[in-house]
Amino acid sequence: MILAIASGKGGTGKTTVALSLALIWQGPVTAVDLDVEEPNLHLFLKPSIYGREKALLEVPVADESKCNFCRACSDLCQFKAISVLGEVLLTFPEMCHGCGGCLAVCPQGALTPGVRELGEVSWGQAGRIRFLMGRLRVGEAMSPPLMRAVKERLEELLSAHPGDVIIDAPPGVSCPAVNAVMDSEVIVLVTEPTPFGFYDLKLAVEAFTPLGKPMGVVVNRAGLGDQSVYDYCRDRGLPLLAEIPFDRRIAEAYSRGQVVAYLSPQLREIFNGLALGIRRLSDSRVEARESGHG
């Protein structure tokens, strides 16, 4: 199973949930930090890193001496990463999405493949947990290409060491968040019972529903705020998988890099129940798919 832990906004406790789930999960598991702009799962897991590689993106390199300025490349590029101004050919590598279209349509061979660095992919081990993360290069604007590189490495790791996957997704509902959850089988949305949490939970549900994945909700800081989140989940038929109490001790433990699930037997039981609820969601998806074929 591939499980994505997501949230409509930052600060809801998404990484707290992903970390605790990984540590109490039954069976082989790989924890993946796809919040490549600000990865922090490694700060808590403290893995031994035994592999690193640079993630590169193919970009065009221009040879103006071969260009006939036909504009085929610039007309194709929707991101304005290449332009023809009169008899001047300009490329903007930082804006390139690496589709390779300009290389394919150039009739003169004036464009050749080059690369730019996106960031770094690293992997390792934290006890029984396999670990994988991406870190975006400072100044790099696009995270989805790096996230794809992390996923490619994940496929290689899973082929050698099969097991479940827990993804710590970036917050929000923009392209990086959608890219992180799109390959998952189950999405867990972490929210809080506040007006901001309620508003951003609705955005996340609206953004991820078209993906057709079963979703469940974890309410962090339960006891704070009002009932809006609970009413919304009931009305939308979203299962409430767990409630993590509003407790100062949890915030203090997080600030010290401690695992919330290990703070007390009550919290451990909450996360064990969450893991069970997630497996039920996954099983319901399999049953629905099989009955659809039947």
Side-chain angles (χ1 to χ4, degrees), residues 60-72:
V61 175
D63 183 350
E64 197 172 79
S65 67
K66 296 181 180 179
C67 183
N68 65 358
F69 309 106
C70 69
R71 301 185 58 86

Side-chain angles (χ1 to χ4, degrees), residues 162-270:
D164 296 320
V165 176
I166 297 176
I167 295 174
D168 185 8
V173 296
S174 60
C175 289
V178 174
N179 190 283
V181 307
M182 64 188 302
D183 298 321
S184 64
E185 297 167 57
V186 176
I187 301 173
V188 172
L189 297 173
V190 183
T191 188
E192 56 190 18
T194 64
F196 286 121
F198 173 45
Y199 178 80
D200 290 302
L201 172 65
K202 291 191 294 181
L203 291 180
V205 171
E206 291 169 5
F208 300 150
T209 294
L211 298 175
K213 317 285 186 181
M215 290 188 288
V217 174
V218 171
V219 176
N220 191 21
R221 305 183 185 97
L224 177 72
D226 56 31
Q227 293 296 307
S228 300
V229 164
Y230 299 96
D231 294 340
Y232 177 75
C233 291
R234 184 186 63 248
D235 293 343
R236 290 295 299 255
L238 288 169
L240 180 61
L241 299 175
E243 293 179 273
I244 302 171
F246 180 50
D247 189 331
R248 180 184 176 89
R249 292 175 300 170
I250 293 177
E252 291 174 346
Y254 182 86
S255 70
R256 293 192 294 265
Q258 296 177 334
V259 181
V260 171
Y262 291 169
L263 285 182
S264 68
Q266 176 196 8
L267 286 166
R268 176 124 189 170
E269 187 60 30
I270 287 173

Side-chain angles (χ1 to χ4, degrees), residues 5-259:
I5 311 298
S7 62
K9 73 179 188 71
T12 61
K14 173 178 55 62
T15 297
T16 296
V17 171
L19 171 69
S20 290
L21 272 177
L23 287 166
I24 61 94
W25 198 259
Q26 298 297 311
V29 64
T30 302
V32 182
D33 197 337
L34 277 181
D35 188 2
V36 298
E37 294 185 47
E38 296 183 24
N40 64 351
L41 194 57
H42 64 290
L43 299 177
F44 300 90
L45 278 177
K46 300 178 176 61
S48 297
I49 300 298
Y50 56 74
R52 301 177 189 271
E53 65 182 9
K54 297 295 184 183
L56 306 174
L57 182 71
E58 183 179 88
V59 297
V61 175
D63 183 350
E64 197 172 79
S65 67
K66 296 181 180 179
C67 183
N68 65 358
F69 309 106
C70 69
R71 301 185 58 86
C73 57
S74 61
D75 289 343
L76 175 73
C77 185
Q78 299 299 302
F79 302 103
K80 307 304 179 186
I82 189 164
S83 296
V84 177
L85 304 174
E87 294 189 355
V88 177
L89 175 62
L90 299 174
T91 60
F92 304 94
E94 297 298 325
M95 299 172 67
C96 180
H97 284 56
C99 73
C102 59
L103 300 171
V105 301
C106 179
Q108 302 297 116
L111 300 174
T112 55
V115 295
R116 84 161 189 265
E117 182 182 331
L118 295 167
E120 183 182 77
V121 180
S122 56
W123 57 95
Q125 196 83 19
R128 66 177 184 84
I129 301 171
R130 290 180 296 277
F131 177 76
L132 176 63
M133 67 176 281
R135 186 188 298 276
L136 203 65
R137 175 180 62 83
V138 174
E140 174 59 48
M142 291 189 297
S143 57
L146 175 57
M147 296 167 72
R148 289 194 291 270
V150 175
K151 290 181 181 182
E152 290 173 3
R153 173 57 60 176
L154 176 62
E155 290 181 4
E156 296 176 8
L157 291 177
L158 290 177
S159 66
H161 306 284
D164 296 320
V165 176
I166 297 176
I167 295 174
D168 185 8
V173 296
S174 60
C175 289
V178 174
N179 190 283
V181 307
M182 64 188 302
D183 298 321
S184 64
E185 297 167 57
V186 176
I187 301 173
V188 172
L189 297 173
V190 183
T191 188
E192 56 190 18
T194 64
F196 286 121
F198 173 45
Y199 178 80
D200 290 302
L201 172 65
K202 291 191 294 181
L203 291 180
V205 171
E206 291 169 5
F208 300 150
T209 294
L211 298 175
K213 317 285 186 181
M215 290 188 288
V217 174
V218 171
V219 176
N220 191 21
R221 305 183 185 97
L224 177 72
D226 56 31
Q227 293 296 307
S228 300
V229 164
Y230 299 96
D231 294 340
Y232 177 75
C233 291
R234 184 186 63 248
D235 293 343
R236 290 295 299 255
L238 288 169
L240 180 61
L241 299 175
E243 293 179 273
I244 302 171
F246 180 50
D247 189 331
R248 180 184 176 89
R249 292 175 300 170
I250 293 177
E252 291 174 346
Y254 182 86
S255 70
R256 293 192 294 265
Q258 296 177 334
V259 181

